[in-house]
Amino acid sequence: MTALEGRVLVVEFPRGRTTLRLAANTAALVPVDLSVGRAVRITGTNEETTIAWPRPDGTFALANGKTVAADVLWPLELEGALLERLAVGDLDDVDDFVTRMNILHLLGLREADGLGTFLGGRVRLYPHQLYVAERASKSDPVRWLLADEVGLGKTIEASLILNRLVHLGKVTRCLVVAPDTLTVQWLGELWRKYHQVFTLLDSDRLADVARDFGDGFNPFELHRRTVVSLEMLIERPELTGQAVKAGIDLLVVDEAQHLRRPPGHPGDAAWRAVAPIAGLGRHVLLLSATPLEDDAHGFFRLLQLLRPQDFPEDMSIEARLAQGTPLPACTSATRRADIGGLPPRVGIPIELTATAKAKSQSVVETVVRSAATTNVVTERDKIDRVRRALASGAALAAVLGPNENDLRTQAVAMDGTDPRVDWLVSQAPRWRNAKEKTLVFVAHRETLEMLRDKLSQRAQLATGMFHEALTPARRDTEVARFREHDGPSLLVSTECGGEGRNFEFCRRIVMFDLPWKPSVVEQRIGRLDRIGRKIRVEVVYFRPAAGIGRDVVRLFEALGLFREPLAGLEPQLAPVEGALEQVALDPDASLSDSRFDTLVEQAHAARTRIREAAYQQLHRDPYRPDMAPGILARVPTELDALNEEVVITASIGLGFTIAHPPGHRVFSIEIGNAATVDGLPGVPAGSGYVGTFDREEAVENEFIDFFASGHPLVEGIFAHYEENALGRAVRFEIKMGNEIDAGLIAIYKDGPAFEVIAIDVGGNARPDWAAAVLRRPINVRPVTGEAAKDVEWRSMVRRLGAQLDPTRRLHAVAAIEVRPATL
């Protein structure tokens, strides 16, 4: 019904392309049958049940215990109604039946032996990610620590698990907690890759909720799928209570190593913000490439957050391991070696001249000596001054105190002589001309600004930037622009770009300064050293001629930090930073050979211990390369092709406007004026999409849609055919064998599975006919000629229909005419 004009109804019949005006009292209007025992569907949830009894207030009690209004119920077609339609000749197009059969095949095919809910994302299918996601999803509730090495896809694994839980209806409210620098990236990843719509609960959105619904209104009641920054959760502790009250079904915490709780301590602010939500006992995913960054005790605390019943508060990790029983399966930590390795890291040291470095070292020494005689009284203050002096070089003036005019003068004098700047100015134009992307890391904002200015002035080079003072949206924009082919060839980032961001497309990373903490260096390199990378990772760093800067480089080279990842060595390498800090306190000191050798030996010994003992104990049942063939064999090779055939064929049948440039894998599909439907479930009229059915094309081009499981158009077409009568009652001819015969085809659907039953005119079961109808592509055609005029087949339908199992619900029926294959 499209309009009500007084007592006249304007009714449109899309399949017949007809619009009629009907009087309200016409016999053509039949009330919807909601009698007791009637099979119905609840339109909002697609749940199927039956009418138990009508209530006096006009609502209906259902067999599933619910009570609903009449306008949310729609009667399901009864088995007898389908047979009657067929018997009276109310037939659908054979093409619609073929499309329906292909949809049934596709629904079963995309289950992929249990992997189905993982296959709809705009991601390359890596077997280790599928293995981890499936393994974690087997537990209920899912409470898991994803601790893969940097770059192996923890975010994708978390999204795969989230997608499955949503698809299975196990979660309604989802909350993603991430560092502020990653919140917008999470929003984009969930939408672009998995068609999941989340809301960013930032200050502006929270203000909107308060304005529209009043102060104190629970934002998690309004927004059921949200992303919130860890900083926001700490700043506004009431959000934690509101999340607990709303009942978060799935909590995802990215960079979970920031949650710290020393023994005997209630936990830091981050821990206290997250722990009550995790304590709901529902699904929780913790992500961290460096869960051992502090020590094994910190890792144990994360396990306590996940499995409090298995790790009591008063138990230490040593005591738990001493029990001799395996830890519960709640962690996974895939390493590069587990997947056969990635392209190598190649360290590219740039030697700094002794003369230039001597100037820099002189300033550093002056900073240390000045700190010792001024109001900088703590060791931490002194160390921070030296760090900044080493890191900033030319930007040192920005970090000196107001009474240090002599130091500021020296720093300014260094502006034009910092050899790192000179080297970058000489190389950057060549990289730009070669269309190569370079990521430059600096420790401090003042260094970033200085470096961008120098590259602009001396090399006429526009650069991108990424730092903590930018809004999340601006940071995302800077990265997107940098990624573009004609965007800046160089992006300068502070440490906030070292967590979670994907810069796999960059040719090289330049360490303008070198952090003293090995895990920070690993995080930086991990932005490029990621799964899917095809070329080596060029790690450019500067090698000073002398001083503590030289010690740092020499030590990291000996530890192999520029050649291979840390692989769980964070706690064992913690003394490295401490040793360097002690050297920094003495302007005349350097890392002695004996101390150097001791640190290297300890690290190498720790690497062996980690790999052979604790690391394996904490991460059992790892993925192995020999698992890959078996996992990938479960992914149907014809899935994408069949999905394309079904969606395009159905779209043509529904009158959608389709454009497909020859030689390209991209389609434009629009529900335009010629469409025979006003829209699809979840897809309003007028909607249009530009996308591809090819996974690789979708991964390479994120500006177009990926028409796969979960996409609104794909799911809308499936839902339309599930609710609609199209292709459910047909008569067709099929050629096979040498006989001439006729009979009845009955199709039953149970979830994603379906069954075809065939009966010949004599009432005999014909599994060979059923097999022929099941075969793809199905080779059927409408009955034509004299056979089309015959009406005897109608009585056959009623007679053979009586043999069907009355307890099973028909999905579709067909009268079949069998003809010899040779005709």
Side-chain angles (χ1 to χ4, degrees):
M1 188 178 71
T2 61
L4 176 61
E5 301 173 356
R7 293 184 56 78
V8 175
L9 303 176
V10 181
V11 183
E12 180 181 348
F13 297 85
R15 288 177 59 205
R17 298 177 183 270
T18 302
T19 299
L20 299 179
R21 294 167 57 83
L22 303 174
N25 59 353
T26 178
L29 295 176
V30 180
V32 172
D33 180 10
L34 296 178
S35 57
V36 174
R38 186 67 153 95
V40 293
R41 176 184 291 111
I42 303 175
T43 56
T45 63
N46 281 333
E47 184 179 357
E48 295 183 5
T49 182
T50 56
I51 300 291
W53 66 84
R55 294 167 55 91
D57 60 1
T59 60
F60 288 84
L62 306 179
N64 63 3
K66 295 182 178 180
T67 299
V68 299
D71 60 359
V72 302
L73 297 176
W74 188 253
L76 296 172
E77 285 199 285
L78 298 179
E79 290 73 11
L82 271 182
L83 284 169
E84 187 61 23
R85 274 190 59 201
L86 182 62
V88 300
D90 181 12
L91 303 178
D92 297 318
D93 290 339
V94 172
D95 287 343
D96 289 331
F97 173 79
V98 172
T99 298
R100 180 172 292 280
M101 289 297 297
N102 283 336
I103 288 176
L104 293 176
H105 280 290
L106 181 56
L107 290 174
L109 190 67
R110 70 178 189 171
E111 289 297 300
D113 191 22
L115 296 179
T117 55
F118 301 144
L119 304 183
R122 184 204 298 268
V123 294
R124 294 187 177 94
L125 300 179
Y126 291 110
H128 75 277
Q129 294 172 350
L130 297 175
Y131 171 78
V132 168
E134 185 174 35
R135 181 168 172 245
S137 298
K138 288 180 180 178
S139 59
D140 190 12
V142 179
R143 299 178 71 86
W144 207 265
L145 171 62
L146 299 169
D148 294 359
E149 285 181 359
V150 172
L152 297 189
K154 294 180 296 300
T155 302
I156 290 177
E157 291 167 356
S159 299
L160 292 174
I161 297 168
L162 182 154
N163 208 46
R164 166 165 285 191
L165 292 174
V166 170
H167 179 78
L168 296 178
K170 291 187 175 183
V171 301
T172 300
R173 288 188 174 88
C174 307
L175 171 61
V176 176
V177 178
D180 182 67
T181 55
L182 300 179
T183 53
V184 174
Q185 178 174 306
W186 266 97
L187 286 177
E189 292 283 292
L190 287 167
W191 168 246
R192 288 191 299 266
K193 287 184 168 60
Y194 301 96
H195 316 296
Q196 297 286 353
V197 179
F198 275 64
T199 300
L200 176 61
L201 280 186
D202 56 8
S203 298
D204 291 341
R205 185 55 57 92
L206 290 172
D208 290 342
V209 173
R211 184 187 65 247
D212 295 340
F213 298 93
D215 292 334
F217 186 86
N218 193 334
F220 298 103
E221 294 288 354
L222 180 64
H223 302 293
R224 291 172 175 260
R225 298 180 185 178
T226 56
V227 176
V228 65
S229 72
L230 182 60
E231 293 86 344
M232 176 67 71
L233 210 58
I234 293 171
E235 178 185 335
R236 301 194 181 189
E238 70 275 9
L239 287 175
T240 295
Q242 291 172 323
V244 171
K245 186 176 180 180
I248 299 300
D249 301 311
L250 170 62
L251 170 66
V252 180
V253 183
D254 199 3
E255 304 296 343
Q257 71 274 7
H258 294 310
L259 310 180
R260 296 186 174 94
R261 185 186 178 193
H265 191 277
D268 64 6
W271 178 281
R272 297 194 303 273
V274 169
I277 308 173
L280 289 172
R282 302 175 186 176
H283 307 286
V284 177
L285 296 174
L286 304 181
L287 285 68
S288 175
T290 56
L292 295 170
E293 182 175 6
D294 292 328
D295 54 32
H297 295 279
F299 192 5
F300 189 62
R301 294 302 180 195
L302 294 181
L303 298 185
Q304 285 183 318
L305 201 62
L306 291 172
R307 300 291 184 92
Q309 71 279 12
D310 296 314
F311 303 99
E313 288 287 332
D314 57 352
M315 179 180 288
S316 68
I317 188 169
E318 292 87 355
R320 181 63 179 83
L321 293 175
Q323 292 181 354
T325 56
L327 297 179
C330 61
T331 64
S332 53
T334 309
R335 299 164 298 181
R336 282 164 171 76
D338 298 332
I339 64 171
L342 295 179
R345 296 180 179 182
V346 179
I348 303 176
I350 306 300
E351 294 287 351
L352 299 181
T353 63
T355 302
K357 188 57 192 175
K359 294 182 180 180
S360 175
Q361 187 65 22
S362 174
V363 175
V364 173
E365 292 173 359
T366 306
V367 170
V368 177
R369 297 185 193 281
S370 174
T373 59
T374 62
N375 59 353
V376 181
V377 294
T378 68
E379 288 190 355
R380 176 54 52 192
D381 288 337
K382 297 175 185 179
I383 291 168
D384 288 344
R385 290 296 181 92
V386 176
R387 284 180 186 270
R388 283 180 173 257
L390 281 170
S392 302
L396 186 60
V399 305
L400 300 176
N403 299 320
E404 297 163 330
N405 293 325
D406 56 332
L407 300 184
R408 183 176 286 104
T409 300
Q410 293 184 54
V412 172
M414 285 180 58
D415 261 11
T417 59
D418 188 332
R420 299 173 299 176
V421 175
D422 294 339
W423 186 84
L424 275 175
V425 167
S426 68
Q427 298 297 315
R430 180 174 62 83
W431 298 336
R432 176 186 57 195
N433 295 336
K435 301 297 184 182
E436 296 173 353
K437 301 290 185 177
T438 300
L439 177 64
V440 179
F441 265 111
V442 299
H444 305 291
R445 168 83 179 279
E446 56 266 16
T447 312
L448 179 147
E449 299 294 352
M450 176 278 296
L451 194 54
R452 295 187 71 225
D453 287 344
K454 292 301 177 184
L455 289 169
S456 175
Q457 295 168 8
R458 297 175 55 188
Q460 293 74 53
L461 187 75
T463 58
M465 60 180 173
F466 194 99
H467 56 76
E468 46 282 323
L470 299 178
T471 65
R474 175 65 184 280
R475 288 193 290 260
D476 217 43
T477 300
E478 289 285 334
V479 173
R481 179 66 181 139
F482 179 45
R483 183 187 292 269
E484 292 177 1
H485 181 73
D486 61 347
S489 63
L490 191 146
L491 183 138
V492 186
S493 174
T494 60
E495 229 62 81
C496 76
E499 286 187 335
R501 285 285 172 174
N502 182 359
F503 291 100
E504 172 200 328
F505 56 91
C506 290
R507 175 68 178 244
R508 65 186 61 81
I509 181 174
V510 175
M511 306 275 190
F512 188 79
D513 47 48
L514 201 56
W516 295 356
K517 195 171 188 176
S519 62
V520 176
V521 177
E522 176 65 24
Q523 285 278 17
R524 286 182 173 188
I525 299 174
R527 299 312 96 213
L528 275 67
D529 192 5
R530 309 183 70 81
I531 188 73
R533 188 177 180 87
K534 301 296 191 298
I535 60 175
R536 70 181 191 172
V537 179
E538 297 179 6
V539 183
V540 179
Y541 59 95
F542 297 96
R543 185 186 285 160
I548 188 173
R550 179 79 174 190
D551 290 334
V552 175
V553 171
R554 186 165 65 105
L555 184 57
F556 285 1
E557 287 176 335
L559 295 175
L561 198 56
F562 305 120
R563 298 192 309 270
E564 58 180 325
L566 292 177
L569 285 172
E570 294 87 353
Q572 282 65 37
L573 293 182
V576 170
E577 185 180 20
L580 294 172
E581 289 179 348
Q582 290 303 311
V583 174
L585 291 173
D586 183 353
D588 299 316
S590 182
L591 193 62
S592 66
D593 289 342
S594 61
R595 181 60 173 144
F596 179 90
D597 292 340
T598 299
L599 287 171
V600 173
E601 289 174 6
Q602 289 175 345
H604 285 319
R607 189 182 295 270
T608 300
R609 290 198 308 273
I610 283 289
R611 286 175 175 171
E612 294 180 356
Y615 198 73
Q616 292 297 332
Q617 173 64 22
L618 292 171
H619 303 281
R620 295 178 294 110
D621 302 322
Y623 169 82
R624 303 185 309 275
D626 60 10
M627 295 177 175
I631 294 173
L632 294 179
R634 295 163 59 191
V635 180
T637 57
E638 67 273 31
L639 179 61
D640 291 346
L642 179 56
N643 189 52
E644 178 179 333
E645 178 184 341
V646 165
V647 173
I648 294 301
T649 302
S651 296
I652 293 172
L654 295 172
F656 297 169
T657 302
I658 301 176
H660 176 47
H664 295 270
R665 295 177 291 181
V666 177
F667 292 80
S668 170
I669 304 176
E670 180 184 1
I671 305 179
N673 295 331
T676 61
V677 293
D678 287 335
L680 299 171
V683 183
S687 297
Y689 304 92
V690 176
T692 182
F693 297 91
D694 184 87
R695 182 178 299 276
E696 192 62 30
E697 176 82 10
V699 170
E700 291 295 328
N701 185 359
E702 290 196 348
F703 294 100
I704 62 175
D705 284 12
F706 181 34
F707 297 133
S709 299
H711 188 278
L713 177 65
V714 176
E715 299 305 318
I717 287 174
F718 290 166
H720 176 75
Y721 269 83
E722 182 67 27
E723 299 174 1
N724 201 274
L726 282 174
R728 290 189 187 269
V730 295
R731 185 183 181 213
F732 60 76
E733 176 185 298
I734 187 170
K735 292 187 175 182
M736 56 182 298
N738 298 310
E739 61 183 327
I740 298 177
D741 208 338
L744 184 69
I745 297 292
I747 299 170
Y748 299 98
K749 180 178 179 292
D750 183 12
F754 72 101
E755 180 185 8
V756 177
I757 302 293
I759 307 173
D760 66 19
V761 70
N764 304 303
R766 296 300 300 263
D768 53 334
W769 292 7
V773 173
L774 273 170
R775 192 175 300 123
R776 285 200 68 255
I778 181 173
N779 186 19
V780 298
R781 66 179 187 179
V783 177
T784 58
E786 291 299 319
K789 302 175 183 178
D790 178 28
V791 295
E792 292 298 321
W793 63 273
R794 298 184 181 182
S795 59
M796 176 197 70
V797 167
R798 290 191 173 93
R799 177 170 52 84
L800 297 181
Q803 295 184 218
L804 298 177
D805 185 348
T807 66
R808 302 183 70 184
R809 178 174 297 150
L810 279 169
H811 181 77
V813 290
I816 182 174
E817 300 287 335
V818 179
R819 298 291 180 265
T822 55
L823 290 182

